[in-house]
Amino acid sequence: MIRTIGSLVQEPLNKKCWFFATSLYVLACIGTSILLGASLSGVGILVHAVVSRIDQHVLLRTNIEDIVLGGLAIAYALSDSGFFRLPHPTLMNAVPVTWWRWWRPYGGALAYGAALGLGVTTRIHFGAFYILCIWCMFKGNLFYGAALMGVYGAARALLLFPISRYIYGGSCANVESPLLRLTTSLETAKVVVACVLIVFGTYIVVSSMIML
């Protein structure tokens, strides 16, 4: 993915072309992330509406959802740390390189951004993505879900700038060594994110159990 998208935004020699292509990628990525968050929240609203008609103990249901969310956060943190393996469902392992060949630079940038903003269109290294999705559903608030996933989409899109510069450095001649260093950095990032998930999950579980 990094090779494909990095090449896409590095290719135009004109700085204006580069800026426009990259901006399309970022905007499309954020846009579909917002749409994903709102859609997940919409599903949560429908589920909550149905459950509320059946079960009137809304506060109890909310606390149970928080405990489930916190437990899954801890579980995915341990999974990302290598203690065991949890599923990382996706629709595909990578975005097609043919998009770049057919529509570069602007159409390809727009297509890649729109696809990657959905998250599940490429390999997902961090279990935190699934926690965000579940959080949106449990929260059941369209604005909250859109904002939460919008921030995720922005963070993912803007990483293109330092990563592509780090790998290519103005030249696409040899990217094997930088990619190896990037893989090492990715493993370090997984440990950091796992620690954050454990703290988050523990806090949610403990505070929810106190309120039961």
Side-chain angles (χ1 to χ4, degrees), residues 106-184:
Y106 305 131
L110 193 62
Y112 282 138
L116 293 177
L118 296 175
V120 293
T121 55
T122 187
R123 184 180 177 187
I124 298 173
H125 296 278
F126 300 94
F129 169 77
Y130 302 102
I131 302 304
L132 289 177
C133 292
I134 296 170
W135 196 354
C136 289
M137 292 181 63
F138 283 176
K139 191 69 177 180
N141 183 299
L142 292 178
F143 178 79
Y144 190 94
L148 186 64
M149 295 308 295
V151 171
Y152 157 80
R156 184 169 192 176
L158 294 175
L159 276 176
L160 177 65
F161 291 93
I163 290 177
S164 62
R165 292 293 183 185
Y166 174 70
I167 291 177
Y168 290 92
S171 174
C172 299
N174 183 10
V175 299
E176 293 301 331
S177 179
L179 278 174
L180 182 60
R181 294 197 299 269
L182 182 64
T183 301
T184 304

Side-chain angles (χ1 to χ4, degrees), residues 27 39 80 130-131 153:
L27 291 175
S39 299
D80 289 350
Y130 302 102
I131 302 304

Side-chain angles (χ1 to χ4, degrees), residues 165-206:
R165 292 293 183 185
Y166 174 70
I167 291 177
Y168 290 92
S171 174
C172 299
N174 183 10
V175 299
E176 293 301 331
S177 179
L179 278 174
L180 182 60
R181 294 197 299 269
L182 182 64
T183 301
T184 304
S185 300
L186 180 62
E187 293 302 317
T188 303
K190 288 176 71 173
V191 173
V192 173
V193 173
C195 291
V196 173
L197 280 180
I198 289 177
V199 173
F200 169 78
T202 302
Y203 171 78
I204 293 293
V205 170
V206 171

Side-chain angles (χ1 to χ4, degrees), residues 11-201:
E11 181 181 0
L13 298 178
N14 187 299
K15 289 186 177 180
K16 290 183 179 180
C17 293
W18 173 85
F19 178 77
F20 187 59
T22 307
S23 298
L24 286 175
Y25 167 81
V26 171
L27 291 175
C29 189
I30 295 174
T32 51
S33 293
I34 291 174
L35 180 61
L36 174 64
S39 299
L40 292 171
S41 297
V43 172
I45 291 173
L46 292 176
V47 172
H48 288 169
V50 172
V51 172
S52 296
R53 288 181 175 273
I54 301 173
D55 183 6
Q56 300 300 319
H57 302 290
V58 179
L59 179 60
L60 177 62
R61 174 178 55 77
T62 301
N63 287 339
I64 292 175
E65 286 181 350
D66 289 343
I67 292 174
V68 171
L69 178 66
L72 286 174
I74 296 173
Y76 266 104
L78 295 175
S79 175
D80 289 350
S81 300
F83 288 94
F84 49 83
R85 187 174 182 83
L86 287 179
H88 285 63
T90 59
L91 296 178
M92 61 180 75
N93 289 327
V95 290
V97 69
T98 51
W99 292 359
W100 171 36
R101 295 169 181 165
W102 291 343
W103 302 320
R104 60 183 179 186
Y106 305 131
L110 193 62
Y112 282 138
L116 293 177
L118 296 175
V120 293
T121 55
T122 187
R123 184 180 177 187
I124 298 173
H125 296 278
F126 300 94
F129 169 77
Y130 302 102
I131 302 304
L132 289 177
C133 292
I134 296 170
W135 196 354
C136 289
M137 292 181 63
F138 283 176
K139 191 69 177 180
N141 183 299
L142 292 178
F143 178 79
Y144 190 94
L148 186 64
M149 295 308 295
V151 171
Y152 157 80
R156 184 169 192 176
L158 294 175
L159 276 176
L160 177 65
F161 291 93
I163 290 177
S164 62
R165 292 293 183 185
Y166 174 70
I167 291 177
Y168 290 92
S171 174
C172 299
N174 183 10
V175 299
E176 293 301 331
S177 179
L179 278 174
L180 182 60
R181 294 197 299 269
L182 182 64
T183 301
T184 304
S185 300
L186 180 62
E187 293 302 317
T188 303
K190 288 176 71 173
V191 173
V192 173
V193 173
C195 291
V196 173
L197 280 180
I198 289 177
V199 173
F200 169 78

